[in-house]
Amino acid sequence: MACEEKCFTFMWRLENVNFCLEKKDASIRSPDFVVDSIDETKWYLGLYPRGETQYENCVGFFLFRHADSKGDAQVSINYELAFIAKDGAVLTPWKANKHDYPKNQGQGFPRFQKRGDVFITKRSAFLPQDTLTARCRIWKSVGEMTDDVRCIARTRIGVEKRSFLWKLENFSTLESGKKYTYKIKSLAHDKQLMSVNLSLTEGLGSEEIISFELNLEEQAIKFSTLLLSLVNISGNRIECNREEFWFDDGSKSKEFKFFFTMNKLIAMKSTYLPDDILSLHWEWAFSKGVISQEIEDVQYASTSSKNNFSNAQNVNNQKMSPLSYPLNDNLKSLYDKNFLCDVKLKTSTDTFNAHKVILSASSSVFEAMFSNDMKEKDSNCVNIEDLSDETISRMLAYIYTARIEDLTWERASLLYAAADKYAIFSLKNICSSYIKDNFSPSNAGEVLLLSEFHADSDLKSAVQNYMLKHLKEIINSDGWKLLMETNPALAAETLSLPYK
């Protein structure tokens, strides 16, 4: 799709973007490109997939002028940055006019798009086949371009995916402190990628926690993701853990805890431990970072029509076309009408009708309730005493529509806890993103307690970083006093972080 006014268009396809290595404050860089019509200046794009410190819940998008660019020490341009859908629709265009670009400097939009939109709630629009298409259009700020040029580039992140079933026999007799090992090999090179050690450790009360230790063997791997599921007696997978691991800090060993404890699994052994066998399904992705980067094509065209620029800078000049949710809207209609509802969620003050199949599709916890030998299977009733009516109502609204509206900090915190309890990971991620966007000195202590209670290391790290930056305001707040009274060890841990 050509510009109405002659311009230089750079289309950048970033494949397997979900497995990029870049952490917060780090950008992945496009191939360099040269704009002949603007004094043969050299440029590149920079994408911050995990955001910057101040805007860590947003994807940042910038245009940089290369250090060894030709042309004057400073050039003035108009430019537009956008993400593009599979069908060519423009999702998020941001425009800027008359920007002066010195060499070796970049300008752009640190809050270009919310990470939750790109990677979770609107993933199908932004990341078809896990490919992000980013576009930059450049015009002269004075005069016209001599050519209408379209340059197409591609960056590919190398990923090896492995999935397998690990069966642990005689699970109930596993010994505490002993390690049980599974070795993961590459199918391409027959090399060992990683070893996984399972062990049992003592938790609160009599609970025995199932811990996993990862030991990296393939040194070229810098980042990996994991989806770990429990396979029940019917062969259905119950999603338990979603994890990310970086191996770029010199440490080749990582640890995490399983969603279920040993005691809970044994209590439901007829469902999860047929013949005393624990079956775990692992889905790994191992990333080595960028493995190829190239300019694929340069096309020339001509056009004579004009394009009127907006004078706004750093303003989203065109809202994304609303996505349609026909299936979700139909499901919501069934819910609103109580049509063929076959289960009730009961609190002490209200009852909510729902559909087992819809709840099971969204939550592995509900699936376990309705498909196995648990009391909810036959009673068609789930008693929920620890969640408010409003929280359950909003949770059900999300399950049926995949949308969430009118969030506040308090609502997000309550929904976060509900989503964690019922393993609705997409809702948990949305609430976590909202909470991170709305840290304040008054609520930071409460968020820290929330993250600790739910064993959320990502949220915990984010709020601890915030607290250390705003320690003077936080130290005298009611939230800090609550933290000191409730968990003084956690408060001490936070204060000691700068000295570790």
Side-chain angles (χ1 to χ4, degrees):
M1 183 175 66
C3 307
E4 294 181 355
E5 185 180 5
K6 289 181 181 180
C7 69
F8 183 97
T9 300
F10 183 74
M11 299 286 289
W12 180 28
R13 294 190 178 95
L14 185 54
E15 298 179 7
N16 294 325
V17 64
N18 216 38
F19 306 104
C20 60
L21 307 181
E22 285 68 24
K23 297 181 181 180
K24 182 174 61 178
D25 291 325
S27 67
I28 186 168
R29 175 172 166 168
S30 77
D32 298 338
F33 58 91
V34 175
V35 183
D36 290 333
S37 296
I38 305 181
D39 303 327
E40 298 182 351
T41 47
K42 185 187 290 188
W43 308 79
Y44 63 91
L45 301 181
L47 192 74
Y48 290 78
R50 292 181 174 85
E52 299 180 89
T53 299
Q54 287 184 292
Y55 312 106
E56 62 183 30
N57 294 309
C58 296
V59 175
F61 193 11
F62 292 79
L63 171 64
F64 292 88
R65 188 178 176 196
H66 206 285
D68 64 358
S69 172
K70 292 184 179 180
D72 295 337
Q74 187 163 277
V75 297
S76 180
I77 63 168
N78 302 327
Y79 71 94
E80 177 195 79
L81 301 177
F83 289 154
I84 307 297
K86 184 178 181 180
D87 62 0
V90 179
L91 297 174
T92 53
W94 290 63
K95 295 179 180 179
N97 283 343
K98 295 184 179 179
H99 265 270
D100 294 328
Y101 260 96
K103 296 180 181 181
N104 199 30
Q105 285 196 21
Q107 299 179 51
F109 308 97
R111 293 182 291 179
F112 189 76
Q113 184 66 37
K114 289 186 176 180
R115 291 193 73 248
D117 289 347
V118 176
F119 292 99
I120 303 173
T121 59
K122 300 172 184 175
R123 179 183 177 85
S124 60
F126 285 98
L127 302 179
Q129 290 79 53
D130 201 28
T131 297
L132 177 67
T133 300
R135 186 185 73 183
C136 173
R137 301 199 298 181
I138 299 175
W139 296 262
K140 286 183 176 181
S141 60
V142 178
E144 292 189 4
M145 307 281 279
T146 57
D147 296 296
D148 201 13
V149 181
R150 181 184 177 92
C151 179
I152 301 172
R154 181 174 70 103
T155 296
R156 181 174 180 78
I157 296 171
V159 179
E160 178 173 354
K161 297 182 180 181
R162 285 294 322 277
S163 61
F164 55 88
L165 185 66
W166 183 8
K167 292 187 175 182
L168 291 111
E169 299 181 353
N170 303 315
F171 175 73
S172 62
T173 64
L174 297 187
E175 299 177 26
S176 182
K178 185 176 179 179
K179 292 184 178 181
Y180 301 85
T181 303
Y182 190 100
K183 296 183 178 181
I184 307 172
K185 285 189 175 182
S186 169
L187 296 179
H189 307 101
D190 197 33
K191 291 182 179 179
Q192 187 169 319
L193 299 174
M194 178 184 288
S195 62
V196 181
N197 296 320
L198 179 152
S199 61
L200 303 176
T201 56
E202 186 177 345
L204 295 174
S206 59
E207 292 288 324
E208 284 195 277
I209 297 170
I210 302 172
S211 299
F212 294 98
E213 178 189 28
L214 312 175
N215 291 300
L216 187 67
E217 303 292 341
E218 173 54 67
Q219 302 304 307
I221 294 171
K222 303 299 181 185
F223 173 68
S224 65
T225 64
L226 167 65
L227 172 59
L228 177 56
S229 302
L230 175 64
V231 182
N232 65 18
I233 193 171
S234 302
N236 298 320
R237 298 176 192 170
I238 313 301
E239 183 177 317
C240 296
N241 290 71
R242 283 183 180 268
E243 309 287 344
E244 291 184 335
F245 305 99
W246 276 268
F247 298 96
D248 58 353
D249 57 358
S251 172
K252 301 302 178 183
S253 179
K254 305 292 179 181
E255 294 181 355
F256 71 97
K257 294 179 175 61
F258 191 46
F259 181 79
F260 289 99
T261 64
M262 185 180 190
N263 308 62
K264 289 181 180 178
L265 290 174
I266 292 177
M268 298 182 288
K269 61 183 179 181
S270 61
T271 299
Y272 295 131
L273 300 175
D275 300 321
D276 203 20
I277 298 174
L278 176 67
S279 297
L280 299 175
H281 187 270
W282 301 72
E283 293 182 41
W284 282 98
F286 299 99
S287 173
K288 297 180 180 180
V290 174
I291 59 171
S292 66
Q293 188 159 257
E294 59 186 342
I295 301 291
E296 292 188 328
D297 192 18
V298 180
Q299 304 167 355
Y300 291 84
S302 61
T303 181
S304 57
S305 59
K306 300 292 183 181
N307 177 53
N308 294 321
F309 255 102
S310 164
N311 290 322
Q313 296 187 28
N314 294 350
V315 176
N316 193 339
N317 291 287
Q318 180 180 336
K319 293 183 179 179
M320 184 175 74
S321 299
L323 300 176
S324 61
Y325 300 86
L327 175 60
N328 298 109
D329 290 338
N330 290 338
L331 292 178
K332 183 62 162 56
S333 177
L334 295 179
Y335 172 71
D336 291 338
K337 296 175 183 176
N338 289 329
F339 185 72
L340 296 179
C341 291
D342 56 359
V343 66
K344 298 179 184 293
L345 307 186
K346 285 189 175 182
T347 68
S348 58
T349 55
D350 205 348
T351 299
F352 299 85
N353 294 305
H355 303 82
K356 289 182 179 179
V357 66
I358 304 299
L359 297 182
S360 298
S362 301
S363 161
S364 59
V365 175
F366 281 126
E367 181 186 19
M369 286 183 185
F370 303 139
S371 61
N372 303 302
D373 295 331
M374 299 177 70
K375 62 181 181 180
E376 291 84 2
K377 179 180 179 181
D378 299 321
S379 69
N380 297 326
C381 179
V382 180
N383 292 311
I384 303 176
E385 299 178 354
D386 57 342
L387 299 179
S388 69
D389 295 346
E390 181 185 1
T391 299
I392 294 176
S393 177
R394 288 183 175 277
M395 181 180 74
L396 288 172
Y398 176 80
I399 288 174
Y400 279 87
T401 68
R403 286 171 283 182
I404 186 165
E405 299 174 349
D406 301 324
L407 267 185
T408 63
W409 187 86
E410 182 177 3
R411 287 170 179 169
S413 300
L414 294 172
L415 271 174
Y416 171 93
D420 185 63
K421 175 180 179 178
Y422 291 105
I424 309 173
F425 293 108
S426 58
L427 176 59
K428 182 181 176 181
N429 288 336
I430 291 170
C431 294
S432 177
S433 294
Y434 184 91
I435 292 170
K436 290 175 184 176
D437 281 336
N438 291 276
F439 285 153
S440 71
S442 61
N443 68 31
E446 191 173 344
V447 175
L448 185 56
L449 289 170
L450 183 73
S451 68
E452 180 76 357
F453 183 80
H454 293 278
D456 188 336
S457 58
D458 180 66
L459 180 59
K460 179 179 179 180
S461 176
V463 71
Q464 284 180 324
N465 288 336
Y466 174 85
M467 294 176 80
L468 292 174
K469 291 176 182 177
H470 301 84
L471 198 55
K472 289 184 178 179
E473 303 101 305
I474 290 172
I475 205 76
N476 294 315
S477 68
D478 291 337
W480 181 262
K481 293 176 183 177
L482 174 65
L483 177 62
M484 289 293 293
E485 293 172 0
T486 308
N487 196 330
L490 183 59
E493 174 195 323
T494 302
L495 292 176
S496 67
L497 284 176
Y499 307 101
K500 291 185 177 180

